[in-house]
Amino acid sequence: MDLVIKNGTIITAIDTYIADIGIEDGKISVIGKDIIDPLSRVIDAKGKYIIPGALDAHTHLQMPFGGTVSSDNYEAGTRAAACGGVTTVFDFAIQQKGDGIIQTAQNRDKLCAPNACVDYAFHVAITDLTPKVLEEFQSAVDYGIPSFKVFMVYKKEGLMVDDAVLCKALKKSSETGAMISVHAENADLIDSRIEEYLSEGKTSAWYHYLSRPEFVEAEADKRAIHWAKSFNAPLYIVHLANKEGMDEVKKARSEGYEIYAETCPQYLNFNSDVYKREDGRNFVCSPPIKGQESQDALWEGIKTGDIATIATDHCPFQSYEKDWGKDDFTKIPNGCMGVENMYPYMLSEANKGRLSFNKVVELCSSNPAKIFGCAPAKGTIAPGSDADIVIYDPEKEVTITKENMHSNVDHTIWEGTKIKGYPVMTLSRGKIVFENGEFKGEPGWGKLLKRKGRKVR
Ligand code: DUC
Ligand code: ZN
Ligand code: ZN
């Protein structure tokens, strides 16, 4: 064996127990008591928790957006991921008009492959659903890209698709084993509210929130769920942030529909009051962070199992870029950092007793692995699985500052947040990529995952 982790408390989505873990050739080769191999390196993890690396199912690295490019390139973003216990990122490859699905992922991979420090996959965001692209769904699934996203917003940016396209994609996904995810907000309403506020001289970040409040997101959630039900297709709603949408997800699931909701730490930890702050523009993301009632509903959704995953929507921009919107909220590039904060924050909430550690592993690791076709290699600690492992010290306390984070961004919305318990080591396929606050990985280590499609109903 190459490495033995001894005496740690192993926590998966379903189990908690003390055992040793043997690692060989990047995989977990054995789990048991008193594993001895005189030739292998030994890490004593007594008093520490051993958890599967997180899968962040939602990042935007090096993404052209908002008049610039998100500031974490593939190296910086996956470095930050490793330092936050994330061992797989799912990035969005945006289809250029005329390109195919596999071609879109391959083009993006040219940027990613030489730089990725942890494993990665692409969801392809479909912007141009020609008959040829629709026909390509099956080949893309067979190739190992079974997840596609559509934007119900960003009309001017050329990303938005209409309901007819969404429905075609849903229908085809149910026939081919693909999964469609949606960014759900009502584009027309946003545009008309923006116009109104700007004409009244209402330009601060607070009006970013008011131009896309709870009901604007909820309408699109309901519409997307309606169409998914109509075509008997599974649906994954990214970054759900509002109560009414949460209620609709709950209802659809109770009726037996396969609807998955993802939310993000920023929606769980902050509420819309942040947009009244002097630095409110740093929190500008879409959908915006909602009111307290919505935050409470999301936590309740976690408790009931109606939130399936936590991911980050990691999309950082530098302060000078956020400042473009000082006097006009529409000029603020949308997005915040999060990939390094998700697992520590959620685990800290578990450490404080708000939810169980098993539940955090389920939300941040095992569920995204299952939903997006990379279980059981990812998302658990079991013989045969990849040795993507986080060693977590429940006693270590960290206060987040921009200086102790590893992204390429000069500020963080998490500044000053106290985290109780923290990852002390991250292994990516058996390789140490983070240890005691320091990045230890290397660009080019991360591999593109070929994933399985869903069973066709
Ligand atoms: N929302 C953001 O805040 N940033 C990137 C894309 C998105 O939908
Ligand atoms: Zn989005
Ligand atoms: Zn996003």
Side-chain angles (χ1 to χ4, degrees):
M1 279 175 284
D2 305 316
L3 182 66
V4 177
I5 304 173
K6 291 192 76 69
N7 307 315
T9 301
I10 298 171
I11 301 178
T12 68
I14 48 173
D15 279 320
T16 305
Y17 58 103
I18 294 176
D20 300 346
I21 299 176
I23 295 168
E24 196 166 339
D25 293 334
K27 292 196 178 293
I28 296 172
S29 56
V30 61
I31 298 178
K33 290 277 176 207
D34 302 321
I35 297 175
I36 296 170
D37 180 350
L39 296 180
S40 64
R41 177 174 171 191
V42 174
I43 295 171
D44 185 8
K46 194 166 184 331
K48 310 281 194 301
Y49 300 164
I50 313 296
I51 55 180
L55 289 81
D56 184 349
H58 191 154
T59 67
H60 299 280
L61 303 179
Q62 214 169 326
M63 181 172 86
F65 195 63
T68 179
V69 176
S70 59
S71 65
D72 265 349
N73 59 19
Y74 283 101
E75 180 178 339
T78 56
R79 178 179 71 213
C83 298
V86 172
T87 48
T88 303
V89 299
F90 289 71
D91 202 55
F92 288 92
I94 315 276
Q95 179 200 17
Q96 302 299 308
K97 308 276 174 218
D99 284 356
I101 299 173
I102 297 172
Q103 184 186 8
T104 298
Q106 286 174 340
N107 285 345
R108 205 63 189 162
D109 197 31
K110 287 183 195 139
L111 290 177
C112 188
N115 296 302
C117 307
V118 297
D119 290 349
Y120 61 95
F122 295 110
H123 304 297
V124 171
I126 293 178
T127 60
D128 184 23
L129 189 69
T130 59
K132 201 166 155 209
V133 169
L134 206 54
E135 276 317 301
E136 201 196 346
F137 270 41
Q138 188 66 64
S139 340
V141 172
D142 297 342
Y143 181 81
I145 307 173
S147 53
F148 314 133
K149 175 182 184 180
V150 296
F151 288 94
M152 297 167 81
V153 284
Y154 300 133
K155 205 193 285 187
K156 287 184 212 120
E157 292 82 350
L159 298 175
M160 182 181 137
V161 304
D162 62 21
D163 283 8
V165 168
L166 168 58
C167 289
K168 278 185 196 164
L170 285 167
K171 180 168 179 294
K172 197 66 167 180
S173 74
S174 71
E175 296 161 2
T176 55
M179 169 72 87
I180 299 296
S181 57
V182 286
H183 173 138
E185 289 182 289
N186 183 306
D188 288 337
L189 212 60
I190 293 168
D191 286 347
S192 86
R193 292 173 73 81
I194 285 177
E195 202 182 308
E196 206 175 308
Y197 287 129
L198 290 184
S199 73
E200 292 165 0
K202 295 174 173 165
T203 58
S204 74
W206 176 244
Y207 294 95
H208 171 72
Y209 165 57
L210 285 190
S211 64
R212 357 175 40 123
E214 276 76 347
F215 57 81
V216 166
E217 187 189 332
E219 184 279 333
D221 290 328
K222 289 179 173 178
R223 188 160 27 107
I225 290 170
H226 173 78
W227 294 132
K229 285 181 176 179
S230 306
F231 293 95
N232 195 25
L235 175 73
Y236 182 93
I237 301 177
V238 301
H239 50 43
L240 186 92
N242 76 97
K243 178 181 185 309
E244 207 181 328
M246 185 74 259
D247 290 345
E248 195 70 11
V249 168
K250 201 168 285 193
K251 179 167 169 287
R253 288 174 60 84
S254 73
E255 293 162 355
Y257 291 98
E258 203 180 337
I259 308 289
Y260 300 102
E262 165 198 287
T263 194
C264 311
Q266 58 271 31
Y267 303 123
L268 294 169
N269 190 55
F270 302 103
N271 67 29
S272 50
D273 288 348
V274 293
Y275 296 115
K276 294 178 181 163
R277 286 166 44 164
E278 179 53 36
D279 63 347
R281 63 188 165 280
N282 290 344
F283 293 81
V284 164
C285 57
S286 291
I289 296 165
K290 302 298 198 298
Q292 190 56 44
E293 206 190 347
S294 284
Q295 190 199 97
D296 294 343
L298 297 174
W299 277 108
E300 184 59 25
I302 286 177
K303 215 193 262 173
T304 58
D306 292 304
I307 291 286
T309 65
I310 309 284
T312 65
D313 203 8
H314 181 84
C315 189
F317 295 99
Q318 303 289 6
S319 299
Y320 81 89
E321 294 165 316
K322 289 288 194 184
D323 288 351
W324 292 337
K326 252 187 173 135
D327 303 315
D328 177 351
F329 67 91
T330 64
K331 299 205 164 57
I332 305 168
N334 285 200
C336 303
M337 76 186 285
V339 72
E340 192 169 350
N341 312 111
M342 170 180 76
Y343 221 16
Y345 168 69
M346 292 304 298
L347 291 163
S348 175
E349 292 301 298
N351 215 0
K352 292 183 206 158
R354 191 171 202 172
L355 71 175
S356 72
F357 282 98
N358 308 91
K359 185 71 185 177
V360 174
V361 170
E362 178 188 311
L363 292 163
C364 300
S365 183
S366 70
N367 275 357
K370 285 181 199 160
I371 293 168
F372 292 116
C374 43
K378 306 293 188 191
T380 192
I381 292 185
S385 294
D386 286 355
D388 288 355
I389 291 174
V390 172
I391 303 182
Y392 176 84
D393 180 353
E395 303 299 332
K396 182 168 177 162
E397 297 196 353
V398 169
T399 301
I400 298 174
T401 66
K402 64 181 187 305
E403 285 81 15
N404 61 15
M405 295 293 104
H406 297 81
S407 276
N408 177 32
V409 61
D410 62 355
H411 65 98
T412 168
I413 58 170
W414 295 90
E415 187 76 33
T417 307
K418 289 188 172 29
I419 300 290
K420 184 175 178 223
Y422 212 82
V424 288
M425 185 179 284
T426 306
L427 301 175
S428 162
R429 282 180 282 106
K431 176 186 168 69
I432 296 172
V433 291
F434 169 76
E435 191 173 7
N436 291 327
E438 273 185 50
F439 175 64
K440 293 277 172 79
E442 58 183 279
W445 168 260
K447 282 198 169 49
L448 173 64
L449 302 182
K450 294 259 172 158
R451 297 176 287 127
K452 294 186 283 282
R454 311 169 49 73
K455 280 207 186 80
V456 177
R457 298 136 177 246

